[in-house]
Amino acid sequence: MKRVSSNNVIYKFTTDLKEVEKVKPGEEFIVETNDCFYQQIQREDQVIEEIDHSSLNPATGPIYVEGAEVGDMLKVHIKKIDIADSGCSLAIPGSGFLPDKVKKATTKIIDVKDGYANFTDIIKIPISPMIGVIGVAPHREDGEWTTDTPYKHGGNMDTTEIKEGSTLYFSVATEGAMLALGDLHAVMGDGEVCVTGLEIPGEVTLQVEVLKNKSFPWPILETEDEIMVLASGDNMEYATKEALNSIIDIFEKSLGLTWEEGYILSSLAVDFRISQLVDPKITIRAAVSKEVLPFEKMLKAL
């Protein structure tokens, strides 16, 4: 099985990325990932000011997918996520959802053992490993995006359901798609309010497919039971409106509804969830049950 080394990283999703590896549709491969600090935080007496900020949010890749062309969709199935046995989480003055409340830079090194993150000797949190940053080269008209920022290409969406067993769908904007990923979390709450999850290095086993002549403005996430549109914007209102308009568009095309009927259905059957509140753009996900929106109907309509 091919292995993409964590030594091969990017810090920006652009239209002119140069691949470090090539994979074929249907092929399984392993991607080694760094944590968002590039493993610079190793002790609780370290603070963010002491580290090299030019090495933050590395994404391993990019990976060229054979047969992926402009106008296609890249299907990325997350087969397995393996994480290290220790990670870190920080409170940083001036950062997070309550930036003015943080009076003291605080670092916690948190061990992971037997399926739990040991926050203290008493507080043990069940882990749920997830991918914070995953995306492809953006469309030229969308510009370039640093790896800490989410947008239509994916990027730092910090969505808890981007985990083992889930599948992502990205519109292909350049030949080969140029997939890259990193920023694993052993566990993270919706919102990521203090600006970090349990940041941890690891390995991700992926399998990719190319869906010809399919596209959609925003990334789509498929879980066992739900379909989600992941939209990002400068504020919650913009991101929520983008997610809502997108899910209504899917309802119109796949279920044959009028816009007004899709709007009503969204109010009855769609959950709007906060993915993260703290990146340069905020990410909201619109989630609908596959019982309401059968996946094959949706896929056929894209």
Side-chain angles (χ1 to χ4, degrees), residues 73-99:
M73 288 193 87
L74 182 67
K75 175 181 177 180
V76 183
H77 182 56
I78 305 166
K79 303 278 289 188
K80 190 177 182 184
I81 299 177
D82 294 305
I83 56 173
D85 57 10
S86 181
C88 64
S89 193
L90 282 68
I92 304 165
S95 296
F97 199 60
L98 300 173

mmCIF file of all heavy atoms in Angstrom, residues 73-99:
data_model
loop_
_atom_site.group_PDB
_atom_site.id
_atom_site.type_symbol
_atom_site.label_atom_id
_atom_site.label_comp_id
_atom_site.label_asym_id
_atom_site.label_seq_id
_atom_site.Cartn_x
_atom_site.Cartn_y
_atom_site.Cartn_z
ATOM 1 N N MET A 73 -16.180 15.075 -9.850
ATOM 2 C CA MET A 73 -16.147 15.122 -8.387
ATOM 3 C C MET A 73 -15.191 14.056 -7.876
ATOM 4 O O MET A 73 -15.114 12.958 -8.438
ATOM 5 C CB MET A 73 -17.529 14.881 -7.764
ATOM 6 C CG MET A 73 -18.498 16.018 -7.929
ATOM 7 S SD MET A 73 -19.978 15.843 -6.869
ATOM 8 C CE MET A 73 -19.399 16.624 -5.371
ATOM 9 N N LEU A 74 -14.458 14.410 -6.832
ATOM 10 C CA LEU A 74 -13.577 13.457 -6.169
ATOM 11 C C LEU A 74 -14.287 12.913 -4.941
ATOM 12 O O LEU A 74 -14.720 13.671 -4.068
ATOM 13 C CB LEU A 74 -12.271 14.121 -5.755
ATOM 14 C CG LEU A 74 -11.251 13.202 -5.086
ATOM 15 C CD1 LEU A 74 -10.732 12.157 -6.065
ATOM 16 C CD2 LEU A 74 -10.108 13.996 -4.481
ATOM 17 N N LYS A 75 -14.401 11.599 -4.890
ATOM 18 C CA LYS A 75 -14.987 10.909 -3.739
ATOM 19 C C LYS A 75 -13.846 10.392 -2.873
ATOM 20 O O LYS A 75 -12.983 9.655 -3.349
ATOM 21 C CB LYS A 75 -15.861 9.744 -4.222
ATOM 22 C CG LYS A 75 -16.423 8.872 -3.115
ATOM 23 C CD LYS A 75 -17.246 7.723 -3.715
ATOM 24 C CE LYS A 75 -17.767 6.778 -2.650
ATOM 25 N NZ LYS A 75 -18.559 5.661 -3.243
ATOM 26 N N VAL A 76 -13.831 10.782 -1.609
ATOM 27 C CA VAL A 76 -12.758 10.403 -0.684
ATOM 28 C C VAL A 76 -13.373 9.656 0.490
ATOM 29 O O VAL A 76 -14.059 10.255 1.331
ATOM 30 C CB VAL A 76 -11.991 11.648 -0.183
ATOM 31 C CG1 VAL A 76 -10.835 11.218 0.715
ATOM 32 C CG2 VAL A 76 -11.488 12.483 -1.349
ATOM 33 N N HIS A 77 -13.127 8.351 0.548
ATOM 34 C CA HIS A 77 -13.664 7.541 1.645
ATOM 35 C C HIS A 77 -12.595 7.353 2.705
ATOM 36 O O HIS A 77 -11.463 6.948 2.404
ATOM 37 C CB HIS A 77 -14.123 6.180 1.130
ATOM 38 C CG HIS A 77 -14.727 5.314 2.195
ATOM 39 N ND1 HIS A 77 -15.792 5.711 2.971
ATOM 40 C CD2 HIS A 77 -14.385 4.063 2.638
ATOM 41 C CE1 HIS A 77 -16.092 4.755 3.830
ATOM 42 N NE2 HIS A 77 -15.253 3.759 3.654
ATOM 43 N N ILE A 78 -12.955 7.659 3.949
ATOM 44 C CA ILE A 78 -12.025 7.544 5.071
ATOM 45 C C ILE A 78 -12.150 6.141 5.653
ATOM 46 O O ILE A 78 -13.111 5.827 6.359
ATOM 47 C CB ILE A 78 -12.315 8.614 6.133
ATOM 48 C CG1 ILE A 78 -12.283 10.010 5.504
ATOM 49 C CG2 ILE A 78 -11.307 8.518 7.282
ATOM 50 C CD1 ILE A 78 -12.887 11.087 6.382
ATOM 51 N N LYS A 79 -11.199 5.299 5.332
ATOM 52 C CA LYS A 79 -11.245 3.891 5.757
ATOM 53 C C LYS A 79 -10.824 3.705 7.218
ATOM 54 O O LYS A 79 -11.403 2.902 7.943
ATOM 55 C CB LYS A 79 -10.335 3.048 4.859
ATOM 56 C CG LYS A 79 -10.644 3.125 3.376
ATOM 57 C CD LYS A 79 -11.773 2.220 2.981
ATOM 58 C CE LYS A 79 -11.376 0.768 3.039
ATOM 59 N NZ LYS A 79 -12.430 -0.112 2.474
ATOM 60 N N LYS A 80 -9.787 4.460 7.628
ATOM 61 C CA LYS A 80 -9.237 4.238 8.964
ATOM 62 C C LYS A 80 -8.457 5.465 9.408
ATOM 63 O O LYS A 80 -7.818 6.128 8.594
ATOM 64 C CB LYS A 80 -8.314 3.007 8.958
ATOM 65 C CG LYS A 80 -7.863 2.527 10.324
ATOM 66 C CD LYS A 80 -7.019 1.265 10.193
ATOM 67 C CE LYS A 80 -6.593 0.748 11.562
ATOM 68 N NZ LYS A 80 -5.690 -0.431 11.440
ATOM 69 N N ILE A 81 -8.531 5.784 10.697
ATOM 70 C CA ILE A 81 -7.720 6.841 11.288
ATOM 71 C C ILE A 81 -6.994 6.270 12.500
ATOM 72 O O ILE A 81 -7.631 5.779 13.442
ATOM 73 C CB ILE A 81 -8.573 8.052 11.719
ATOM 74 C CG1 ILE A 81 -9.297 8.664 10.521
ATOM 75 C CG2 ILE A 81 -7.687 9.105 12.394
ATOM 76 C CD1 ILE A 81 -10.217 9.822 10.880
ATOM 77 N N ASP A 82 -5.677 6.297 12.460
ATOM 78 C CA ASP A 82 -4.846 5.874 13.589
ATOM 79 C C ASP A 82 -4.144 7.105 14.147
ATOM 80 O O ASP A 82 -3.562 7.895 13.390
ATOM 81 C CB ASP A 82 -3.802 4.850 13.143
ATOM 82 C CG ASP A 82 -4.422 3.540 12.696
ATOM 83 O OD1 ASP A 82 -5.184 2.950 13.470
ATOM 84 O OD2 ASP A 82 -4.150 3.117 11.554
ATOM 85 N N ILE A 83 -4.186 7.274 15.448
ATOM 86 C CA ILE A 83 -3.590 8.457 16.068
ATOM 87 C C ILE A 83 -2.494 8.061 17.046
ATOM 88 O O ILE A 83 -2.419 6.918 17.505
ATOM 89 C CB ILE A 83 -4.648 9.312 16.784
ATOM 90 C CG1 ILE A 83 -5.408 8.487 17.832
ATOM 91 C CG2 ILE A 83 -5.612 9.928 15.773
ATOM 92 C CD1 ILE A 83 -6.362 9.304 18.695
ATOM 93 N N ALA A 84 -1.642 9.041 17.366
ATOM 94 C CA ALA A 84 -0.577 8.835 18.337
ATOM 95 C C ALA A 84 -1.166 8.681 19.741
ATOM 96 O O ALA A 84 -2.377 8.812 19.950
ATOM 97 C CB ALA A 84 0.400 10.009 18.282
ATOM 98 N N ASP A 85 -0.297 8.423 20.707
ATOM 99 C CA ASP A 85 -0.782 8.182 22.075
ATOM 100 C C ASP A 85 -0.749 9.426 22.946
ATOM 101 O O ASP A 85 -1.003 9.358 24.149
ATOM 102 C CB ASP A 85 0.010 7.051 22.733
ATOM 103 C CG ASP A 85 1.510 7.307 22.759
ATOM 104 O OD1 ASP A 85 1.927 8.440 22.434
ATOM 105 O OD2 ASP A 85 2.258 6.377 23.102
ATOM 106 N N SER A 86 -0.464 10.584 22.339
ATOM 107 C CA SER A 86 -0.456 11.819 23.111
ATOM 108 C C SER A 86 -0.627 13.000 22.176
ATOM 109 O O SER A 86 -0.132 12.983 21.043
ATOM 110 C CB SER A 86 0.864 11.949 23.885
ATOM 111 O OG SER A 86 0.887 13.134 24.653
ATOM 112 N N GLY A 87 -1.344 14.023 22.648
ATOM 113 C CA GLY A 87 -1.527 15.234 21.859
ATOM 114 C C GLY A 87 -1.581 16.441 22.776
ATOM 115 O O GLY A 87 -1.313 16.353 23.979
ATOM 116 N N CYS A 88 -1.921 17.586 22.213
ATOM 117 C CA CYS A 88 -1.930 18.810 23.002
ATOM 118 C C CYS A 88 -3.168 19.645 22.689
ATOM 119 O O CYS A 88 -3.775 19.520 21.626
ATOM 120 C CB CYS A 88 -0.668 19.634 22.753
ATOM 121 S SG CYS A 88 -0.501 20.248 21.059
ATOM 122 N N SER A 89 -3.530 20.501 23.634
ATOM 123 C CA SER A 89 -4.609 21.465 23.442
ATOM 124 C C SER A 89 -4.226 22.731 24.187
ATOM 125 O O SER A 89 -3.665 22.666 25.287
ATOM 126 C CB SER A 89 -5.934 20.900 23.955
ATOM 127 O OG SER A 89 -7.013 21.675 23.504
ATOM 128 N N LEU A 90 -4.520 23.898 23.579
ATOM 129 C CA LEU A 90 -4.039 25.162 24.109
ATOM 130 C C LEU A 90 -5.163 26.184 24.241
ATOM 131 O O LEU A 90 -6.102 26.189 23.439
ATOM 132 C CB LEU A 90 -2.968 25.778 23.194
ATOM 133 C CG LEU A 90 -1.544 25.213 23.247
ATOM 134 C CD1 LEU A 90 -1.476 23.797 22.698
ATOM 135 C CD2 LEU A 90 -0.604 26.123 22.462
ATOM 136 N N ALA A 91 -5.051 27.037 25.236
ATOM 137 C CA ALA A 91 -5.818 28.281 25.324
ATOM 138 C C ALA A 91 -4.838 29.411 25.059
ATOM 139 O O ALA A 91 -3.787 29.493 25.713
ATOM 140 C CB ALA A 91 -6.473 28.427 26.683
ATOM 141 N N ILE A 92 -5.174 30.279 24.097
ATOM 142 C CA ILE A 92 -4.228 31.278 23.614
ATOM 143 C C ILE A 92 -4.841 32.671 23.766
ATOM 144 O O ILE A 92 -5.929 32.928 23.247
ATOM 145 C CB ILE A 92 -3.884 31.018 22.128
ATOM 146 C CG1 ILE A 92 -3.348 29.585 21.951
ATOM 147 C CG2 ILE A 92 -2.893 32.039 21.606
ATOM 148 C CD1 ILE A 92 -3.322 29.131 20.503
ATOM 149 N N PRO A 93 -4.193 33.570 24.484
ATOM 150 C CA PRO A 93 -4.734 34.930 24.616
ATOM 151 C C PRO A 93 -5.010 35.557 23.252
ATOM 152 O O PRO A 93 -4.195 35.473 22.331
ATOM 153 C CB PRO A 93 -3.618 35.677 25.353
ATOM 154 C CG PRO A 93 -2.920 34.613 26.150
ATOM 155 C CD PRO A 93 -2.949 33.391 25.270
ATOM 156 N N GLY A 94 -6.209 36.137 23.118
ATOM 157 C CA GLY A 94 -6.580 36.772 21.862
ATOM 158 C C GLY A 94 -7.139 35.837 20.822
ATOM 159 O O GLY A 94 -7.466 36.271 19.716
ATOM 160 N N SER A 95 -7.299 34.562 21.160
ATOM 161 C CA SER A 95 -7.787 33.579 20.191
ATOM 162 C C SER A 95 -9.011 32.852 20.721
ATOM 163 O O SER A 95 -9.328 32.897 21.915
ATOM 164 C CB SER A 95 -6.688 32.553 19.874
ATOM 165 O OG SER A 95 -5.591 33.163 19.245
ATOM 166 N N GLY A 96 -9.723 32.175 19.810
ATOM 167 C CA GLY A 96 -10.896 31.414 20.179
ATOM 168 C C GLY A 96 -12.157 32.271 20.138
ATOM 169 O O GLY A 96 -12.159 33.410 19.670
ATOM 170 N N PHE A 97 -13.250 31.702 20.621
ATOM 171 C CA PHE A 97 -14.542 32.379 20.563
ATOM 172 C C PHE A 97 -14.710 33.416 21.678
ATOM 173 O O PHE A 97 -15.561 34.294 21.596
ATOM 174 C CB PHE A 97 -15.667 31.337 20.634
ATOM 175 C CG PHE A 97 -16.988 31.847 20.150
ATOM 176 C CD1 PHE A 97 -17.149 32.303 18.850
ATOM 177 C CD2 PHE A 97 -18.079 31.884 21.005
ATOM 178 C CE1 PHE A 97 -18.367 32.790 18.413
ATOM 179 C CE2 PHE A 97 -19.313 32.355 20.567
ATOM 180 C CZ PHE A 97 -19.455 32.822 19.262
ATOM 181 N N LEU A 98 -13.887 33.298 22.722
ATOM 182 C CA LEU A 98 -13.883 34.286 23.817
ATOM 183 C C LEU A 98 -12.467 34.840 23.955
ATOM 184 O O LEU A 98 -11.820 34.665 24.994
ATOM 185 C CB LEU A 98 -14.346 33.645 25.128
ATOM 186 C CG LEU A 98 -15.755 33.036 25.138
ATOM 187 C CD1 LEU A 98 -16.003 32.299 26.455
ATOM 188 C CD2 LEU A 98 -16.817 34.107 24.912
ATOM 189 N N PRO A 99 -11.965 35.503 22.939
ATOM 190 C CA PRO A 99 -10.548 35.877 22.915
ATOM 191 C C PRO A 99 -10.123 36.803 24.045
ATOM 192 O O PRO A 99 -8.985 36.704 24.535
ATOM 193 C CB PRO A 99 -10.388 36.567 21.551
ATOM 194 C CG PRO A 99 -11.763 37.035 21.191
ATOM 195 C CD PRO A 99 -12.679 35.988 21.748
#
